Amino acid sequence: MGLMKKIGIVGLGIMGHGMAVNFLKNGYELYAWNRSSQKAKDLEGATPCKTPKEVAQNADIIFEVTANDESSRQVWTADDGILAGANDGKTLIASATLSAKWTDELAKLCESKGLTFFDMPLTGGRIAAESGNLTMLVGGDEAKLNELKPTLDAIAGRVFHFGPAGHGTRYKLLLNMLQAIHMVGYGEIMKMAEAAGMDIGKVSAGLQDRPGGAITTIAKDSYHNQPDPITFSVEWITKDLGYAKQLADSLDTPLLDDVLAKYRAAMDSGKAQTDWTNINEG
């Protein structure tokens, strides 16, 4: 085996911070930047950087894990951004959940500079990020991804490849759309069960068996007890659903439209920073 690659992380929110902790636990040299510098300073063993450019200059593999298209564009393309510090020996990874349009633009920017690029959004939430068991949803060159997998073992339990650059992002938007539809549907049927005088404990236990699945379990566990700290905010699922609607373009998406409207209403009622499962409370 060769020398371990130096890792860079730009953005230390819930997911980025968890990734950073696990790279450090696995002995990687880590360079980190966050808009609020304090989040980088509390990572013992990491080297805080003053700019995303500095991260890219020092690391071999750079993960961007910011909030949305606007923050992503800034950290990639600004004068002190990732692309200003990257050369053709670097591997650049967008792990934020972004729009397909911006991801495609970013992929072309990297390609024009001869840089290796993956869009690699994440799923699994806070718990998976903190435990090093994320699922990586990847678009990009498959052969290069296979070379990268030993490094990804530090942060991920599973890695799925969906095709060329941009396809990881497209899958993530479809996934979050379906999960949000499920979440809203769960809340609706539980209200129906309560109104019908049914035993809610028995109903939720039955739903865990069929249809079952991770989102049913999350919906059940959070229906009466909101997660603290939150795992994923109403603000961010609303952002992702908006990007999914952009992806749909002119397609008719009545389910997506209804769910997006419910989450936007939750935003308007002051629930932006509550857990995304909060949609079930009204």
Side-chain angles (χ1 to χ4, degrees):
M1 287 185 65
L3 291 172
M4 294 173 76
K5 298 289 188 181
K6 297 175 184 178
I7 303 297
I9 297 183
V10 173
L12 296 170
I14 291 173
M15 308 304 273
H17 192 276
M19 293 163 66
V21 167
N22 282 289
F23 276 124
L24 289 168
K25 281 182 182 177
N26 282 273
Y28 284 87
E29 189 175 333
L30 181 75
Y31 296 85
W33 175 90
N34 193 73
R35 200 172 304 280
S36 169
S37 60
Q38 189 57 41
K39 287 188 177 181
K41 291 176 181 175
D42 72 3
L43 287 168
E44 187 175 350
T47 301
C49 295
K50 293 180 180 179
T51 63
K53 177 180 178 180
E54 188 181 336
V55 174
Q57 288 171 326
N58 284 283
D60 303 307
I61 302 169
I62 299 95
F63 293 85
E64 178 252 319
V65 205
T66 67
N68 52 31
D69 281 8
E70 291 73 25
S71 60
S72 176
R73 185 182 291 275
Q74 177 68 24
V75 299
W76 283 97
T77 65
D79 290 344
D80 61 357
I82 294 167
L83 291 174
N87 58 42
D88 60 7
K90 312 288 184 176
T91 297
L92 307 179
I93 301 172
S95 282
T97 302
L98 307 168
S99 72
K101 182 179 179 181
W102 164 236
T103 303
D104 290 350
E105 185 180 337
L106 178 57
K108 287 177 183 176
L109 268 174
C110 291
E111 183 181 3
S112 71
K113 295 176 179 290
L115 300 167
T116 297
F117 173 79
F118 295 97
D119 60 310
M120 197 179 295
L122 321 160
T123 188
R126 179 191 292 272
I127 293 171
E130 292 178 351
S131 64
N133 197 37
L134 288 164
T135 298
M136 320 297 282
L137 313 170
V138 189
D141 184 274
E142 190 167 15
K144 291 180 179 178
L145 174 62
N146 288 332
E147 295 173 9
L148 192 61
K149 281 181 178 177
T151 299
L152 297 178
D153 284 345
I155 57 171
R158 292 180 294 179
V159 178
F160 294 110
H161 181 252
F162 290 98
H167 284 217
T169 293
R170 283 166 169 79
Y171 177 80
K172 177 65 184 294
L173 296 177
L174 298 174
L175 172 66
N176 278 11
M177 170 182 159
L178 187 58
Q179 291 185 144
I181 289 170
H182 188 125
M183 189 63 68
V184 169
Y186 186 94
E188 196 164 297
I189 66 162
M190 291 300 283
K191 288 179 176 66
M192 291 174 66
E194 287 178 303
M198 297 182 72
D199 184 318
I200 296 306
K202 290 180 178 179
V203 171
S204 59
L207 291 170
Q208 271 198 285
D209 180 68
R210 183 167 298 184
I215 295 302
T216 301
T217 298
I218 291 169
K220 170 189 174 292
D221 291 345
S222 60
Y223 186 67
H224 291 296
N225 299 288
Q226 284 292 295
D228 184 21
I230 70 169
T231 61
F232 187 46
S233 72
V234 166
E235 179 180 9
W236 297 139
I237 188 63
T238 305
K239 177 261 298 184
D240 293 353
L241 292 171
Y243 290 159
K245 184 61 182 174
Q246 288 178 26
L247 180 63
D249 195 17
S250 60
L251 290 174
D252 187 29
T253 56
L255 281 174
L256 172 57
D257 295 348
D258 285 349
V259 170
L260 178 54
K262 287 182 186 295
Y263 273 104
R264 283 178 172 163
M267 290 276 290
D268 292 342
S269 67
K271 293 182 177 180
Q273 300 309 314
T274 61
D275 195 82
W276 74 298
T277 59
N278 190 250
I279 199 73
N280 287 333
E281 293 190 345

mmCIF file of all heavy atoms in Angstrom, residues 1 4 7 19 22-23 25-26 28 61 63 120 128-129 131-136 145-159:
data_model
loop_
_atom_site.group_PDB
_atom_site.id
_atom_site.type_symbol
_atom_site.label_atom_id
_atom_site.label_comp_id
_atom_site.label_asym_id
_atom_site.label_seq_id
_atom_site.Cartn_x
_atom_site.Cartn_y
_atom_site.Cartn_z
ATOM 1 N N MET A 1 0.835 -1.211 0.000
ATOM 2 C CA MET A 1 0.000 0.000 0.000
ATOM 3 C C MET A 1 0.864 1.253 0.000
ATOM 4 O O MET A 1 1.924 1.288 0.607
ATOM 5 C CB MET A 1 -0.894 0.009 1.250
ATOM 6 C CG MET A 1 -2.038 -0.983 1.198
ATOM 7 S SD MET A 1 -3.129 -0.818 2.638
ATOM 8 C CE MET A 1 -3.783 0.822 2.379
ATOM 9 N N MET A 4 -0.981 7.126 2.758
ATOM 10 C CA MET A 4 -2.378 7.538 2.867
ATOM 11 C C MET A 4 -2.542 8.927 2.282
ATOM 12 O O MET A 4 -1.696 9.807 2.462
ATOM 13 C CB MET A 4 -2.809 7.526 4.339
ATOM 14 C CG MET A 4 -2.834 6.131 4.939
ATOM 15 S SD MET A 4 -3.141 6.154 6.730
ATOM 16 C CE MET A 4 -4.907 6.490 6.755
ATOM 17 N N ILE A 7 -6.494 14.410 3.274
ATOM 18 C CA ILE A 7 -7.914 14.695 3.078
ATOM 19 C C ILE A 7 -8.201 16.158 3.370
ATOM 20 O O ILE A 7 -7.685 16.734 4.332
ATOM 21 C CB ILE A 7 -8.779 13.815 4.009
ATOM 22 C CG1 ILE A 7 -8.486 12.326 3.779
ATOM 23 C CG2 ILE A 7 -10.264 14.129 3.811
ATOM 24 C CD1 ILE A 7 -8.816 11.818 2.397
ATOM 25 N N MET A 19 -17.693 13.333 9.024
ATOM 26 C CA MET A 19 -16.690 12.786 8.114
ATOM 27 C C MET A 19 -15.288 13.111 8.604
ATOM 28 O O MET A 19 -14.395 12.244 8.607
ATOM 29 C CB MET A 19 -16.907 13.352 6.713
ATOM 30 C CG MET A 19 -18.190 12.895 6.052
ATOM 31 S SD MET A 19 -18.658 13.931 4.630
ATOM 32 C CE MET A 19 -17.329 13.581 3.489
ATOM 33 N N ASN A 22 -14.126 10.948 11.523
ATOM 34 C CA ASN A 22 -13.785 9.571 11.159
ATOM 35 C C ASN A 22 -12.521 9.465 10.330
ATOM 36 O O ASN A 22 -11.772 8.483 10.469
ATOM 37 C CB ASN A 22 -14.976 8.906 10.463
ATOM 38 C CG ASN A 22 -16.029 8.473 11.463
ATOM 39 O OD1 ASN A 22 -15.816 7.527 12.221
ATOM 40 N ND2 ASN A 22 -17.139 9.175 11.514
ATOM 41 N N PHE A 23 -12.240 10.444 9.500
ATOM 42 C CA PHE A 23 -10.943 10.434 8.815
ATOM 43 C C PHE A 23 -9.809 10.555 9.836
ATOM 44 O O PHE A 23 -8.791 9.863 9.734
ATOM 45 C CB PHE A 23 -10.862 11.570 7.789
ATOM 46 C CG PHE A 23 -11.467 11.233 6.457
ATOM 47 C CD1 PHE A 23 -12.475 12.015 5.911
ATOM 48 C CD2 PHE A 23 -11.016 10.129 5.731
ATOM 49 C CE1 PHE A 23 -13.030 11.709 4.671
ATOM 50 C CE2 PHE A 23 -11.557 9.811 4.487
ATOM 51 C CZ PHE A 23 -12.575 10.600 3.958
ATOM 52 N N LYS A 25 -9.901 9.645 13.014
ATOM 53 C CA LYS A 25 -9.840 8.377 13.763
ATOM 54 C C LYS A 25 -9.063 7.311 13.006
ATOM 55 O O LYS A 25 -8.433 6.441 13.599
ATOM 56 C CB LYS A 25 -11.255 7.853 14.026
ATOM 57 C CG LYS A 25 -11.981 8.516 15.172
ATOM 58 C CD LYS A 25 -13.357 7.875 15.348
ATOM 59 C CE LYS A 25 -14.146 8.535 16.467
ATOM 60 N NZ LYS A 25 -15.516 7.951 16.574
ATOM 61 N N ASN A 26 -9.133 7.380 11.672
ATOM 62 C CA ASN A 26 -8.469 6.380 10.843
ATOM 63 C C ASN A 26 -7.065 6.785 10.419
ATOM 64 O O ASN A 26 -6.473 6.158 9.541
ATOM 65 C CB ASN A 26 -9.326 6.081 9.612
ATOM 66 C CG ASN A 26 -10.488 5.153 9.926
ATOM 67 O OD1 ASN A 26 -10.353 3.929 9.883
ATOM 68 N ND2 ASN A 26 -11.634 5.726 10.286
ATOM 69 N N TYR A 28 -5.842 9.672 9.058
ATOM 70 C CA TYR A 28 -5.587 10.532 7.893
ATOM 71 C C TYR A 28 -5.152 11.923 8.334
ATOM 72 O O TYR A 28 -5.611 12.444 9.347
ATOM 73 C CB TYR A 28 -6.847 10.657 7.034
ATOM 74 C CG TYR A 28 -7.136 9.427 6.201
ATOM 75 C CD1 TYR A 28 -7.871 8.376 6.717
ATOM 76 C CD2 TYR A 28 -6.645 9.322 4.897
ATOM 77 C CE1 TYR A 28 -8.136 7.239 5.954
ATOM 78 C CE2 TYR A 28 -6.900 8.192 4.123
ATOM 79 C CZ TYR A 28 -7.639 7.155 4.671
ATOM 80 O OH TYR A 28 -7.889 6.037 3.912
ATOM 81 N N ILE A 61 -7.363 14.735 -1.669
ATOM 82 C CA ILE A 61 -8.771 14.454 -1.935
ATOM 83 C C ILE A 61 -9.580 15.484 -1.161
ATOM 84 O O ILE A 61 -9.464 15.572 0.065
ATOM 85 C CB ILE A 61 -9.157 13.033 -1.482
ATOM 86 C CG1 ILE A 61 -8.283 11.994 -2.191
ATOM 87 C CG2 ILE A 61 -10.635 12.762 -1.735
ATOM 88 C CD1 ILE A 61 -8.409 10.590 -1.609
ATOM 89 N N PHE A 63 -13.294 17.101 -0.186
ATOM 90 C CA PHE A 63 -14.743 16.954 -0.124
ATOM 91 C C PHE A 63 -15.359 18.321 0.166
ATOM 92 O O PHE A 63 -14.961 18.988 1.119
ATOM 93 C CB PHE A 63 -15.147 16.012 1.014
ATOM 94 C CG PHE A 63 -14.743 14.587 0.828
ATOM 95 C CD1 PHE A 63 -13.467 14.152 1.190
ATOM 96 C CD2 PHE A 63 -15.642 13.649 0.325
ATOM 97 C CE1 PHE A 63 -13.091 12.821 1.037
ATOM 98 C CE2 PHE A 63 -15.275 12.322 0.168
ATOM 99 C CZ PHE A 63 -13.995 11.902 0.525
ATOM 100 N N MET A 120 -20.845 13.213 -5.126
ATOM 101 C CA MET A 120 -20.946 12.111 -4.185
ATOM 102 C C MET A 120 -21.777 12.524 -2.973
ATOM 103 O O MET A 120 -21.267 12.598 -1.846
ATOM 104 C CB MET A 120 -19.538 11.668 -3.750
ATOM 105 C CG MET A 120 -19.465 10.308 -3.107
ATOM 106 S SD MET A 120 -17.752 9.837 -2.656
ATOM 107 C CE MET A 120 -16.960 9.709 -4.262
ATOM 108 N N ALA A 128 -25.123 8.184 10.895
ATOM 109 C CA ALA A 128 -24.194 7.538 9.965
ATOM 110 C C ALA A 128 -22.919 8.350 9.800
ATOM 111 O O ALA A 128 -21.819 7.789 9.694
ATOM 112 C CB ALA A 128 -24.864 7.321 8.617
ATOM 113 N N ALA A 129 -23.042 9.676 9.774
ATOM 114 C CA ALA A 129 -21.856 10.528 9.639
ATOM 115 C C ALA A 129 -20.934 10.360 10.837
ATOM 116 O O ALA A 129 -19.713 10.254 10.694
ATOM 117 C CB ALA A 129 -22.270 11.988 9.480
ATOM 118 N N SER A 131 -20.784 7.820 12.926
ATOM 119 C CA SER A 131 -20.311 6.444 13.120
ATOM 120 C C SER A 131 -19.443 5.949 11.966
ATOM 121 O O SER A 131 -18.941 4.820 12.007
ATOM 122 C CB SER A 131 -21.507 5.505 13.289
ATOM 123 O OG SER A 131 -22.284 5.464 12.102
ATOM 124 N N GLY A 132 -19.256 6.767 10.928
ATOM 125 C CA GLY A 132 -18.454 6.346 9.784
ATOM 126 C C GLY A 132 -19.172 5.345 8.900
ATOM 127 O O GLY A 132 -18.527 4.522 8.242
ATOM 128 N N ASN A 133 -20.497 5.408 8.876
ATOM 129 C CA ASN A 133 -21.287 4.421 8.146
ATOM 130 C C ASN A 133 -22.199 5.076 7.107
ATOM 131 O O ASN A 133 -23.319 4.608 6.862
ATOM 132 C CB ASN A 133 -22.114 3.596 9.134
ATOM 133 C CG ASN A 133 -22.620 2.309 8.527
ATOM 134 O OD1 ASN A 133 -21.927 1.675 7.743
ATOM 135 N ND2 ASN A 133 -23.834 1.921 8.883
ATOM 136 N N LEU A 134 -21.722 6.152 6.491
ATOM 137 C CA LEU A 134 -22.501 6.828 5.460
ATOM 138 C C LEU A 134 -22.687 5.950 4.222
ATOM 139 O O LEU A 134 -21.910 5.022 3.987
ATOM 140 C CB LEU A 134 -21.799 8.121 5.033
ATOM 141 C CG LEU A 134 -21.828 9.267 6.042
ATOM 142 C CD1 LEU A 134 -20.787 10.304 5.677
ATOM 143 C CD2 LEU A 134 -23.217 9.884 6.120
ATOM 144 N N THR A 135 -23.713 6.262 3.453
ATOM 145 C CA THR A 135 -23.885 5.683 2.126
ATOM 146 C C THR A 135 -23.567 6.778 1.115
ATOM 147 O O THR A 135 -24.127 7.867 1.177
ATOM 148 C CB THR A 135 -25.325 5.176 1.924
ATOM 149 O OG1 THR A 135 -25.587 4.139 2.878
ATOM 150 C CG2 THR A 135 -25.506 4.620 0.529
ATOM 151 N N MET A 136 -22.643 6.473 0.195
ATOM 152 C CA MET A 136 -22.181 7.440 -0.794
ATOM 153 C C MET A 136 -22.867 7.153 -2.123
ATOM 154 O O MET A 136 -22.855 6.011 -2.605
ATOM 155 C CB MET A 136 -20.655 7.362 -0.968
ATOM 156 C CG MET A 136 -19.864 7.157 0.320
ATOM 157 S SD MET A 136 -20.020 8.504 1.496
ATOM 158 C CE MET A 136 -18.907 9.707 0.782
ATOM 159 N N LEU A 145 -13.263 5.636 -9.231
ATOM 160 C CA LEU A 145 -13.991 5.422 -7.978
ATOM 161 C C LEU A 145 -13.476 4.176 -7.264
ATOM 162 O O LEU A 145 -13.299 4.186 -6.038
ATOM 163 C CB LEU A 145 -15.487 5.282 -8.255
ATOM 164 C CG LEU A 145 -16.360 4.919 -7.053
ATOM 165 C CD1 LEU A 145 -16.292 5.996 -5.969
ATOM 166 C CD2 LEU A 145 -17.804 4.683 -7.502
ATOM 167 N N ASN A 146 -13.208 3.123 -8.014
ATOM 168 C CA ASN A 146 -12.693 1.899 -7.398
ATOM 169 C C ASN A 146 -11.351 2.142 -6.719
ATOM 170 O O ASN A 146 -11.063 1.565 -5.665
ATOM 171 C CB ASN A 146 -12.573 0.787 -8.446
ATOM 172 C CG ASN A 146 -13.926 0.255 -8.883
ATOM 173 O OD1 ASN A 146 -14.889 0.300 -8.112
ATOM 174 N ND2 ASN A 146 -14.016 -0.244 -10.108
ATOM 175 N N GLU A 147 -10.532 3.008 -7.303
ATOM 176 C CA GLU A 147 -9.253 3.361 -6.684
ATOM 177 C C GLU A 147 -9.458 4.144 -5.393
ATOM 178 O O GLU A 147 -8.643 4.077 -4.473
ATOM 179 C CB GLU A 147 -8.413 4.207 -7.649
ATOM 180 C CG GLU A 147 -7.981 3.469 -8.916
ATOM 181 C CD GLU A 147 -7.302 4.391 -9.916
ATOM 182 O OE1 GLU A 147 -7.013 5.551 -9.545
ATOM 183 O OE2 GLU A 147 -7.072 3.968 -11.066
ATOM 184 N N LEU A 148 -10.558 4.871 -5.325
ATOM 185 C CA LEU A 148 -10.849 5.730 -4.182
ATOM 186 C C LEU A 148 -11.495 4.978 -3.014
ATOM 187 O O LEU A 148 -11.453 5.449 -1.870
ATOM 188 C CB LEU A 148 -11.784 6.852 -4.647
ATOM 189 C CG LEU A 148 -12.038 8.043 -3.752
ATOM 190 C CD1 LEU A 148 -10.741 8.804 -3.474
ATOM 191 C CD2 LEU A 148 -13.060 8.976 -4.411
ATOM 192 N N LYS A 149 -12.077 3.818 -3.282
ATOM 193 C CA LYS A 149 -12.880 3.131 -2.267
ATOM 194 C C LYS A 149 -12.137 2.818 -0.961
ATOM 195 O O LYS A 149 -12.722 2.927 0.113
ATOM 196 C CB LYS A 149 -13.493 1.853 -2.852
ATOM 197 C CG LYS A 149 -14.719 2.148 -3.711
ATOM 198 C CD LYS A 149 -15.350 0.883 -4.271
ATOM 199 C CE LYS A 149 -16.602 1.206 -5.076
ATOM 200 N NZ LYS A 149 -17.187 -0.008 -5.684
ATOM 201 N N PRO A 150 -10.857 2.438 -0.989
ATOM 202 C CA PRO A 150 -10.178 2.211 0.301
ATOM 203 C C PRO A 150 -10.177 3.447 1.198
ATOM 204 O O PRO A 150 -10.282 3.328 2.418
ATOM 205 C CB PRO A 150 -8.751 1.821 -0.118
ATOM 206 C CG PRO A 150 -8.917 1.224 -1.486
ATOM 207 C CD PRO A 150 -10.005 2.041 -2.127
ATOM 208 N N THR A 151 -10.077 4.624 0.610
ATOM 209 C CA THR A 151 -10.141 5.864 1.392
ATOM 210 C C THR A 151 -11.549 6.085 1.927
ATOM 211 O O THR A 151 -11.733 6.495 3.084
ATOM 212 C CB THR A 151 -9.715 7.062 0.531
ATOM 213 O OG1 THR A 151 -8.357 6.859 0.094
ATOM 214 C CG2 THR A 151 -9.800 8.368 1.313
ATOM 215 N N LEU A 152 -12.550 5.798 1.115
ATOM 216 C CA LEU A 152 -13.940 5.996 1.532
ATOM 217 C C LEU A 152 -14.347 5.068 2.673
ATOM 218 O O LEU A 152 -15.309 5.356 3.393
ATOM 219 C CB LEU A 152 -14.883 5.792 0.338
ATOM 220 C CG LEU A 152 -14.714 6.766 -0.831
ATOM 221 C CD1 LEU A 152 -15.676 6.406 -1.956
ATOM 222 C CD2 LEU A 152 -14.935 8.208 -0.375
ATOM 223 N N ASP A 153 -13.616 3.978 2.861
ATOM 224 C CA ASP A 153 -13.926 3.042 3.959
ATOM 225 C C ASP A 153 -13.916 3.732 5.317
ATOM 226 O O ASP A 153 -14.582 3.280 6.255
ATOM 227 C CB ASP A 153 -12.931 1.883 3.983
ATOM 228 C CG ASP A 153 -13.198 0.855 2.889
ATOM 229 O OD1 ASP A 153 -14.302 0.880 2.299
ATOM 230 O OD2 ASP A 153 -12.304 0.033 2.622
ATOM 231 N N ALA A 154 -13.174 4.828 5.439
ATOM 232 C CA ALA A 154 -13.095 5.529 6.725
ATOM 233 C C ALA A 154 -14.408 6.199 7.102
ATOM 234 O O ALA A 154 -14.672 6.450 8.282
ATOM 235 C CB ALA A 154 -11.978 6.577 6.682
ATOM 236 N N ILE A 155 -15.234 6.501 6.106
ATOM 237 C CA ILE A 155 -16.456 7.269 6.379
ATOM 238 C C ILE A 155 -17.731 6.577 5.925
ATOM 239 O O ILE A 155 -18.828 7.003 6.306
ATOM 240 C CB ILE A 155 -16.396 8.657 5.706
ATOM 241 C CG1 ILE A 155 -16.180 8.533 4.190
ATOM 242 C CG2 ILE A 155 -15.301 9.518 6.354
ATOM 243 C CD1 ILE A 155 -16.326 9.844 3.431
ATOM 244 N N ALA A 156 -17.602 5.524 5.132
ATOM 245 C CA ALA A 156 -18.790 4.956 4.483
ATOM 246 C C ALA A 156 -18.925 3.458 4.710
ATOM 247 O O ALA A 156 -17.933 2.730 4.736
ATOM 248 C CB ALA A 156 -18.742 5.240 2.982
ATOM 249 N N GLY A 157 -20.173 3.033 4.836
ATOM 250 C CA GLY A 157 -20.471 1.602 4.881
ATOM 251 C C GLY A 157 -20.770 1.049 3.497
ATOM 252 O O GLY A 157 -20.487 -0.109 3.204
ATOM 253 N N ARG A 158 -21.357 1.901 2.637
ATOM 254 C CA ARG A 158 -21.722 1.465 1.295
ATOM 255 C C ARG A 158 -21.456 2.577 0.288
ATOM 256 O O ARG A 158 -21.590 3.761 0.609
ATOM 257 C CB ARG A 158 -23.205 1.071 1.248
ATOM 258 C CG ARG A 158 -23.529 -0.178 2.051
ATOM 259 C CD ARG A 158 -25.013 -0.530 1.972
ATOM 260 N NE ARG A 158 -25.831 0.476 2.623
ATOM 261 C CZ ARG A 158 -27.157 0.433 2.684
ATOM 262 N NH1 ARG A 158 -27.806 -0.553 2.094
ATOM 263 N NH2 ARG A 158 -27.837 1.374 3.305
ATOM 264 N N VAL A 159 -21.095 2.163 -0.922
ATOM 265 C CA VAL A 159 -20.831 3.094 -2.010
ATOM 266 C C VAL A 159 -21.586 2.603 -3.238
ATOM 267 O O VAL A 159 -21.373 1.485 -3.691
ATOM 268 C CB VAL A 159 -19.321 3.189 -2.329
ATOM 269 C CG1 VAL A 159 -19.071 4.128 -3.505
ATOM 270 C CG2 VAL A 159 -18.537 3.636 -1.096
#
